[in-house]
């Protein structure tokens, strides 16, 4: 069984105060884009993970896809006797939810392989136990996530948006970026207000207006990501100078997301960003795309 899962970019990531459980209440507008990881599940004697991609991906029980297979097996009362092979295209620790995509793909692949065929609600519940971004990787499209980001409502979108993603050398740790956001707020360097869904963003998505979308993009984690990785400031500037309609850090970073006006414009923008030399890799992509899909 091979399942493909998309990366995400956050069109709005508004971070509320830290909760008693250590998580932050969010308004998180997820948007699935056409950069994909693939997970293949094959019957085996025991649970194992192999990775076709960077050496930084863990292959032990900590791998999120392995945890997904183990959790599903436990739910079904069976042994997790599966070999998972992950083909990575989504940047690792890049703020595009690559690990969450792998977990969602492993859930679906094992669900089909083990002929469990769980209903969508149950899969979404298991996904939320694996991580805040895993339910969205199942769902795909564009969605508002409340709570930790796991309580999802689909958003109406007209047409397609064209993006360019600038990958960085090396990742950023999500907990470290949230902790830096808390530190900046405690030091009075960043405001903390109760997050609200942006009406301008919803209107831009509904009408398919890329210029309005570019103006409405917002990420509360961006100051923290820039504080931990100051070179991202120039990386974002390079995209704006090259004519991007919007430029922001994707999620907790360090990947930078640039919105283009059209498919042709995304190719031009990608060429200019490649030329700038500020990125380890530059990848055009479009969204929204569906969530996990059985190939
Ligand atoms: O849910 P997940 O394991 O993906 O979260 C990774 C980390 O990101 C958490 O340990 C926490 O530090 C931070 N986080 C948060 N608030 C959220 C989501 C994630 O503080 N809503």
């Amino acid at each position: 069984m091979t399942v493909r899962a998309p990366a995400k970019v956050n069109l709005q990531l508004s971070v509320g105060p830290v909760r008693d459980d250590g998580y932050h209440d969010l308004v998180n507008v997820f948007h699935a884009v056409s950069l994909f990881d693939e997970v293949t599940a094959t019957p085996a004697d025991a649970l194992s993970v192999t990775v076709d991609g960077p050496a930084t991906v863990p292959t032990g029980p900590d791998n999120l896809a392995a945890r997904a297979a183990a959790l599903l097996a436990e739910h079904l009362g069976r042994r997790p006797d599966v070999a998972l092979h992950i083909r990575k295209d989504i940047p690792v620790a890049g703020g595009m939810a690559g690990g969450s995509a792998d977990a969602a793909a492993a859930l679906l692949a094992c669900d089909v392989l083990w002929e469990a065929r769980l209903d969508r609600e149950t899969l979404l519940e298991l996904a939320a136990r694996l991580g805040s971004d895993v339910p969205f990787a199942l769902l795909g499209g564009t969605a508002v996530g409340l709570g930790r980001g796991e309580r999802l409502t689909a958003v109406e979108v007209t047409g397609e948006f064209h993006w360019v993603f600038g990958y960085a050398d090396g990742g950023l740790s999500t907990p470290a970026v949230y902790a830096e956001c808390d530190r900046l707020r405690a030091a009075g360097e960043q405001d903390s207000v109760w997050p609200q869904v942006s009406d301008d963003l919803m209107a831009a998505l509904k009408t398919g207006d890329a210029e309005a979308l570019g103006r409405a993009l917002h990420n509360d984690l961006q100051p923290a990501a820039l504080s931990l990785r100051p070179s991202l400031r120039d990386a974002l500037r390079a995209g704006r100078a090259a004519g991007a309609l919007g430029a922001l850090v994707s999620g907790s970073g360090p990947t930078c997301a640039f919105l283009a006006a059209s498919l042709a414009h995304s190719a031009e923008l990608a060429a200019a960003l490649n030329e700038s030399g500020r990125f380890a890799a530059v990848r055009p992509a479009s969204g929204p795309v569906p969530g996990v899909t059985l190939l």
Side-chain angles (χ1 to χ4, degrees), residues 22-24 26 131-132 148 174-175 178:
Y23 284 88
H24 297 73
L26 304 178
S132 308
R148 282 188 293 133
T174 302
Y178 273 98

Side-chain angles (χ1 to χ4, degrees), residues 17-38:
V18 65
R19 315 191 306 200
D20 290 344
D21 64 2
Y23 284 88
H24 297 73
D25 270 309
L26 304 178
V27 166
N28 193 347
V29 182
F30 293 103
H31 183 66
V33 295
S34 59
L35 298 169
F36 301 98
D37 280 0
E38 277 177 23

Side-chain angles (χ1 to χ4, degrees), residues 144-225:
V144 176
L146 302 179
R148 282 188 293 133
E150 85 287 13
R151 286 182 1 234
L152 295 169
T153 311
V155 170
E156 196 187 334
V157 175
T158 297
E160 215 181 5
F161 295 101
H162 300 281
W163 298 88
V164 179
F165 294 93
Y167 293 7
D169 263 327
L172 276 175
S173 140
T174 302
V177 175
Y178 273 98
E180 179 66 3
C181 175
D182 290 339
R183 190 190 70 76
L184 291 174
R185 285 174 171 183
E189 291 175 34
Q190 195 189 342
D191 291 341
S192 171
V193 290
W194 193 255
Q196 305 272 351
V197 178
S198 156
D199 292 338
D200 290 349
L201 175 60
M202 292 300 124
L205 292 169
K206 195 169 177 180
T207 55
D209 182 338
E211 280 190 27
L213 176 60
R215 286 192 298 271
L217 296 171
H218 176 79
N219 181 3
D220 269 349
L221 290 181
Q222 184 162 305

